[in-house]
Amino acid sequence: MKLTMLKSKIHRATVTHAELDYEGSCAIDLNLMDQANILPFEQLHIYNVNNGERFTTYAITAPRGSGTIGVNGAAAHKASPGDLLIICTYAELEAKEAEHFNPALVYVNGDNAITHTSHGHLAAV
């Protein structure tokens, strides 16, 4: 049996721009992608903390160290600059593999700079 498990998360990233007239995607600072183990063109599930919108798109790279979180194409209707997003990826794992799998969790500040990371341990609220 396969289970769908959280593979990675960037928690409360701030949207830096939303561009409607662009091929759909989400541009993410390459530092964040590396730390969250997100590949270019990987499917993303995005949850907008500000308005409750939930949408699916794919990742594209933004310049390393830029702090960019850009929502492009039709998804730009679902997020505005300044909105906080939770960006997630998921993986299909066999049940035995899932028992020991730890997702990459990346936490950022208001400038999308990494404050800390974790592998499988949620931050206390």
Side-chain angles (χ1 to χ4, degrees):
M1 170 177 49
K2 290 200 176 219
L3 302 171
T4 303
M5 303 295 292
L6 179 68
K7 176 183 158 261
S8 57
K9 173 176 82 163
I10 302 172
H11 191 70
R12 296 177 71 90
T14 302
V15 176
T16 58
H17 70 277
E19 189 174 339
L20 186 59
D21 295 321
Y22 186 90
E23 185 177 344
S25 59
C26 180
I28 303 173
D29 178 323
L30 197 50
N31 285 341
L32 296 175
M33 289 179 66
D34 287 348
Q35 286 298 307
N37 193 25
I38 296 173
L39 297 174
F41 306 107
E42 185 171 357
Q43 184 181 75
L44 302 174
H45 294 261
I46 301 179
Y47 314 116
N48 189 322
V49 174
N50 291 70
N51 63 22
E53 290 283 358
R54 300 167 76 88
F55 54 98
T56 304
T57 189
Y58 60 92
I60 61 171
T61 61
R64 187 176 298 283
S66 65
T68 297
I69 298 291
V71 180
N72 301 313
H77 287 290
K78 298 181 176 287
S80 300
D83 283 0
L84 297 178
L85 305 180
I86 299 169
I87 301 170
C88 297
T89 65
Y90 296 88
E92 296 288 323
L93 303 174
E94 292 295 334
K96 284 288 184 195
E97 183 182 17
E99 289 177 18
H100 304 287
F101 180 77
N102 292 314
L105 308 175
V106 177
Y107 299 87
V108 298
N109 64 18
D111 295 321
N112 295 326
I114 297 169
T115 59
H116 62 286
T117 63
S118 177
H119 290 280
H121 305 287
L122 296 174
V125 272

